[in-house]
Amino acid sequence: MDIFKYERIRNVALLGHGSCGKTTLAEAMAFVTGVISRQGKIEDGSTISDYDKEEQKRTFSINTSVIPIVSEDTKINILDTPGYFDFVGEAEEAVSAADAAVIVISAKAGVQVGTEKAWNLCEKYKLPRMFFVTDMDDDNASYRKVVEALQELYGTRVAPFQLPIRENEKFVGFVNVVKMAGRRFNDDGTYIDSDIPDYSMEYLQTYRDALLEAVAETSDDMMDKFFNGEEFTQAEMSTALRKSVGDASLVPVLMGSGTEAKGVRNLIDQIISYFPSPNKTIITGINQKTGNSFHADYDENKEMTAKVFKTIADPFIGKFSLIKICSGVLKADSTIYNVAKDVEEKISRLYVLRGKEQIEVKELHAGDIGAIGKLDIATGDSIATKAVPVVYDKPVFSVPYTYMRYVTKNKGDDDKIASALSKIVDEDPTIKIVNDSANRQSLIYGIGEQQLDVVVSKLASRYKVEIELLKPRIPYKETIKKKVSVQNKYKKQTGGHGQYGDVHITFEPSDDLDKQYIFEETVFGGAIPKNFFPAIEKGIAECVTKGPLAGYPVVGLKATLTDGSYHPVDSSEMAFKTAATQAFKDGFMQAMPILLEPIVTLRVVVPDEYTGDVMGDLNKRRGRVSGMNTLYDGRTEILDDIPQASLMGYSTDLRSMTGGIGEFSYEFSHYEAAPADVQAKVVEENAANAGKED
């Protein structure tokens, strides 16, 4: 592949709702630019983007793929992202490397929740964007309804650049609103000039007037010209629109058909014309050696710096770190410095990836996207030269809140599973593995249940190991409510020396739930020698790790050794430890034991029309609403104190209630006594599971 400099590069993320046509559009863009001679199909598993076996099996995108194409000596790095919400981390990786985005909308389905989420992601990263309305070849397509829905959401920023031309109910061309000219498609997806149909004139004039107003607002001179009734030249309009699209004050709407590759050539032309090259954007890092800001700004004349925005750890194609060059030129066979790890490594080869295809290149210039193979670098790392060690901000990813317990299906696979999960986490930062030793379980966190299901499937197909997902143990705790005094004497004679230990211990609440236990002694007159006190405390310490009520850690306990007796020959540390252990078990159950459940503060953000349903559902889950706030964008924030156990499956339920638009997060708040019915159920479940292996 040729070498491209920043002015001839466009980095564009394809965003949108799941199954809206992003991958098909990417395939069409590759087709019309000659990358492929025939368009692949998602259902056949033959597209460039969806090369992963899981994607082919499920017929939707799971990973972000890079597809570089070349048109008019400009390289466009297409970042085809998944649209399903569970894989939002992939989209977040893509937009962290993109300089602009195309939000794809199916003309059949219209504006969906994923469309709004894509817009919000662009707003967060301040990305210029276009809408591309695909599926225009469908009988049920309604371009006008899509435009109206977009304008209702985002106002006059949305500017249709095209209108459809239909003949005999077939999509045959479009009207270019900017140039006031008709275009008719050829069989190969190119187009020729044509007349503008009379039926288009009503909406054409409306869209044209909106464009002229947008052009006028770009400068005082243009505004004066507009009010004086003077016509803008085509050059003036193009310059003004480029500025407005570049700063995202104007968002064009284009149209076409991905399956028939209609309108795709025009989309590529508009990307080149209106989207900024990398050097039109600003990127700043920190020079770790000097502490000063480093204004990279995709200037190839500065020292080489880059950031890793995605990791691929596929056993079939190997490990690749996808990078974006922030400044300078990266050459094959050069030495790079990993700023975070303080390690220098030699690059043997440098690649451009196109799906799973690896294209070797000699160098990458500032603003371009490429890949390095088999190096110890991770997503979010910054690479540079040791002379100028610049570090960039790491991408911010959505926090996973859905979790399950997992167990190994086959004994002896623990190490293999740990290694495989580590690779999966490298690929997807929204997957998190937690060893919950207090509750004797391994947890896997993700954005949603579908994502966790994909992880299980990947482990089996890629790494030949199997895990089973189970309902997690909620981290309950146990404590007591009243004071009791117990005695336990451990006496055993087995021939020769025997075993003897006698303890009198008072158990009571300590009123400090942050500590498991407090141990004190008030033994008078040497009833028990002091050298046995540590053994007695050790017995208590071991017992509080697994309470006798339901097997959960004990907190808020005070144990006071008050008296006892010993035998000068038969007493031992083991005997007193055993006596203390038995005293604990007896005393704890006499001291009115209770189960404490974790309470989290839940934050739910939904459009106002869903607040009633959400609050009703939270009440059913034993939640207590603590506050409601109206946000700047018209949505409502609901704050709720709710038992952690009540949030199992909440991600799926909230999506169902709100059509996918609702968002939630939570953080631990405190522990409080579980209701009697909840305690009884947990104790019963624990008894039923006693003896089973985790």
Side-chain angles (χ1 to χ4, degrees):
M1 178 172 278
D2 292 339
I3 303 301
F4 292 86
K5 297 186 177 182
Y6 58 73
E7 67 271 12
R8 295 196 296 127
I9 295 172
R10 303 290 185 273
N11 298 309
V12 181
L14 295 185
L15 306 173
H17 197 83
S19 298
C20 69
K22 296 182 297 298
T23 296
T24 300
L25 177 59
E27 195 77 4
M29 294 171 80
F31 172 68
V32 301
T33 53
V35 171
I36 52 177
S37 57
R38 179 176 175 272
Q39 283 186 244
K41 295 182 178 179
I42 293 171
E43 54 269 26
D44 296 339
S46 57
T47 63
I48 300 173
S49 293
D50 293 353
Y51 61 85
D52 186 274
K53 286 186 176 180
E54 285 299 313
E55 294 174 314
Q56 293 172 353
K57 180 176 77 173
R58 299 169 189 266
T59 64
F60 61 76
S61 297
I62 294 172
N63 310 299
T64 287
S65 295
V66 183
I67 306 174
I69 61 173
V70 178
S71 178
E72 297 180 4
D73 78 1
T74 297
K75 178 185 181 185
I76 303 174
N77 289 312
I78 302 167
L79 296 150
D80 180 24
T81 70
Y84 288 101
F85 306 142
D86 281 15
F87 310 103
V88 64
E90 296 286 333
E92 290 167 334
E93 287 177 333
V95 296
S96 74
D99 303 310
V102 173
I103 301 176
V104 182
I105 303 173
S106 167
K108 295 183 293 184
V111 175
Q112 297 171 279
V113 171
T115 312
E116 297 181 53
K117 287 182 177 288
W119 175 278
N120 293 337
L121 201 53
C122 291
E123 289 284 274
K124 178 180 177 181
Y125 283 84
K126 297 180 172 59
L127 288 184
R129 70 215 72 155
M130 295 178 183
F131 290 107
F132 185 81
V133 182
T134 190
D135 294 334
M136 288 299 296
D137 54 303
D138 191 271
D139 291 342
N140 298 316
S142 178
Y143 178 75
R144 180 169 57 84
K145 286 183 179 179
V146 171
V147 170
E148 289 175 351
L150 291 173
Q151 290 179 331
E152 184 177 346
L153 281 170
Y154 309 119
T156 56
R157 287 175 69 181
V158 175
F161 275 26
Q162 297 173 348
L163 278 170
I165 297 178
R166 292 185 179 277
E167 287 182 3
N168 300 321
E169 299 183 355
K170 298 291 184 182
F171 176 54
V172 297
F174 64 92
V175 178
N176 185 321
V177 178
V178 178
K179 296 183 178 179
M180 292 293 282
R183 306 285 189 246
R184 179 178 290 273
F185 294 121
N186 295 317
D187 292 339
D188 61 359
T190 59
Y191 51 83
I192 57 174
D193 293 343
S194 71
D195 294 331
I196 299 175
D198 292 339
Y199 62 77
S200 299
M201 296 308 297
E202 178 186 354
Y203 287 102
L204 175 59
Q205 195 57 52
T206 301
Y207 295 161
R208 175 74 174 180
D209 290 344
L211 269 186
L212 293 176
E213 288 185 27
V215 169
E217 290 175 358
T218 58
S219 72
D220 291 340
D221 289 342
M222 298 295 275
M223 185 65 76
D224 290 341
K225 196 168 184 178
F226 177 72
F227 280 124
N228 291 331
E230 299 177 47
E231 290 288 329
F232 297 132
T233 66
Q234 193 59 52
E236 286 175 331
M237 286 197 66
S238 295
T239 301
L241 291 175
R242 189 175 297 113
K243 177 181 180 298
S244 297
V245 174
D247 64 18
S249 61
L250 193 73
V251 181
V253 186
L254 309 177
M255 73 177 77
S257 165
T259 54
E260 296 184 355
K262 290 179 177 179
V264 176
R265 168 61 64 185
N266 183 257
L267 170 64
I268 293 170
D269 293 342
Q270 303 304 305
I271 286 173
I272 295 171
S273 296
Y274 292 112
F275 278 165
S277 54
N279 65 306
K280 301 297 183 183
T281 60
I282 295 172
I283 182 167
T284 305
I286 299 295
N287 186 324
Q288 296 292 85
K289 185 177 289 186
T290 66
N292 297 328
S293 294
F294 180 83
H295 296 273
D297 300 341
Y298 304 107
D299 185 343
E300 67 179 31
N301 297 311
K302 295 183 178 179
E303 288 284 336
M304 191 286 298
T305 66
K307 60 181 181 179
V308 181
F309 70 90
K310 179 174 175 58
T311 301
I312 298 173
D314 190 307
F316 301 108
I317 69 172
K319 178 183 177 180
F320 287 95
S321 302
L322 271 62
I323 59 173
K324 186 179 185 184
I325 311 300
C326 301
S327 64
V329 179
L330 178 61
K331 297 184 178 182
D333 298 322
S334 61
T335 299
I336 63 168
Y337 177 63
N338 187 326
V339 184
K341 295 185 174 68
D342 189 23
V343 172
E344 281 191 297
E345 292 191 75
K346 179 83 171 178
I347 298 176
S348 57
R349 295 178 180 178
L350 197 57
Y351 300 94
V352 166
L353 299 187
R354 181 179 285 140
K356 66 179 178 181
E357 181 186 3
Q358 304 152 30
I359 305 168
E360 194 169 342
V361 294
K362 294 181 179 179
E363 59 187 43
L364 290 169
H365 285 241
D368 208 351
I369 287 173
I372 302 171
K374 301 178 181 178
L375 289 190
D376 184 24
I377 50 180
T379 300
D381 282 354
S382 298
I383 60 175
T385 61
K386 198 162 188 178
V388 186
V390 176
V391 63
Y392 294 99
D393 289 340
K394 293 179 179 288
V396 178
F397 296 106
S398 296
V399 178
Y401 290 104
T402 299
Y403 68 101
M404 295 290 284
R405 177 164 64 108
Y406 71 90
V407 295
T408 304
K409 278 192 174 182
N410 300 313
K411 290 184 177 179
D413 278 354
D414 288 350
D415 289 343
K416 292 180 182 178
I417 287 172
S419 175
L421 284 173
S422 175
K423 292 182 174 67
I424 288 175
V425 170
D426 285 344
E427 280 195 294
D428 189 345
T430 63
I431 295 291
K432 184 172 69 172
I433 307 299
V434 174
N435 178 25
D436 180 11
S437 56
N439 294 288
R440 305 175 302 284
Q441 61 182 348
S442 296
L443 302 175
I444 180 169
Y445 282 73
I447 301 298
E449 295 173 6
Q450 187 177 54
Q451 184 187 27
L452 299 183
D453 181 59
V454 167
V455 171
V456 174
S457 190
K458 279 185 178 181
L459 287 172
S461 61
R462 282 188 182 185
Y463 302 103
K464 311 305 178 188
V465 290
E466 292 183 286
I467 64 172
E468 182 180 2
L469 297 183
L470 303 171
K471 182 181 177 181
R473 285 169 59 91
I474 302 300
Y476 295 108
K477 293 183 179 180
E478 300 179 21
T479 193
I480 56 175
K481 292 187 68 175
K482 75 174 187 178
K483 182 177 180 178
V484 298
S485 295
V486 295
Q487 176 192 8
N488 189 276
K489 182 182 293 185
Y490 178 67
K491 186 176 181 180
K492 190 174 184 181
Q493 194 68 40
T494 56
H497 286 303
Q499 295 290 340
Y500 182 89
D502 176 27
V503 295
H504 296 233
I505 303 177
T506 297
F507 295 100
E508 61 188 308
S510 72
D511 297 325
D512 185 357
L513 298 182
D514 292 330
K515 290 183 179 179
Q516 285 194 290
Y517 73 96
I518 297 172
F519 178 75
E520 295 179 354
E521 58 82 19
T522 59
V523 177
F524 181 75
I528 300 175
K530 290 184 179 180
N531 60 298
F532 291 126
F533 291 173
I536 295 170
E537 182 178 0
K538 187 175 182 181
I540 303 296
E542 290 183 0
C543 286
V544 297
T545 61
K546 187 177 181 180
L549 179 63
Y552 292 96
V554 172
V555 294
L557 176 78
K558 182 178 179 181
T560 305
L561 177 66
T562 59
D563 201 358
S565 62
Y566 77 103
H567 188 281
V569 175
D570 291 346
S571 286
S572 66
E573 291 183 352
M574 187 194 77
F576 274 103
K577 177 185 171 185
T578 303
T581 298
Q582 293 175 348
F584 173 88
K585 293 177 180 177
D586 293 341
F588 192 89
M589 296 306 292
Q590 295 175 31
M592 197 179 295
I594 61 170
L595 199 67
L596 299 173
E597 64 177 349
I599 304 298
V600 300
T601 297
L602 175 69
R603 177 180 182 266
V604 185
V605 178
V606 292
D608 187 59
E609 61 263 31
Y610 296 111
T611 55
D613 291 341
V614 170
M615 291 176 66
D617 177 71
L618 292 176
N619 287 334
K620 293 177 183 177
R621 296 172 184 267
R622 297 193 289 126
R624 301 187 299 270
V625 175
S626 59
M628 291 180 63
N629 303 302
T630 300
L631 304 182
Y632 71 93
D633 57 2
R635 296 184 298 168
T636 298
E637 175 190 60
I638 303 169
L639 300 176
D640 192 276
D641 289 333
I642 189 169
Q644 183 176 330
S646 297
L647 288 181
M648 294 306 300
Y650 189 66
S651 173
T652 301
D653 293 344
L654 181 63
R655 288 179 189 175
S656 177
M657 278 186 289
T658 66
I661 196 67
E663 300 174 356
F664 78 99
S665 61
Y666 61 84
E667 59 182 15
F668 172 76
S669 176
H670 62 279
Y671 274 90
E672 63 182 46
D677 60 328
V678 173
Q679 176 168 316
K681 183 178 179 182
V682 173
V683 170
E684 182 182 348
E685 288 177 352
N686 180 72
N689 293 328
K692 293 183 179 179
E693 292 185 0
D694 285 341

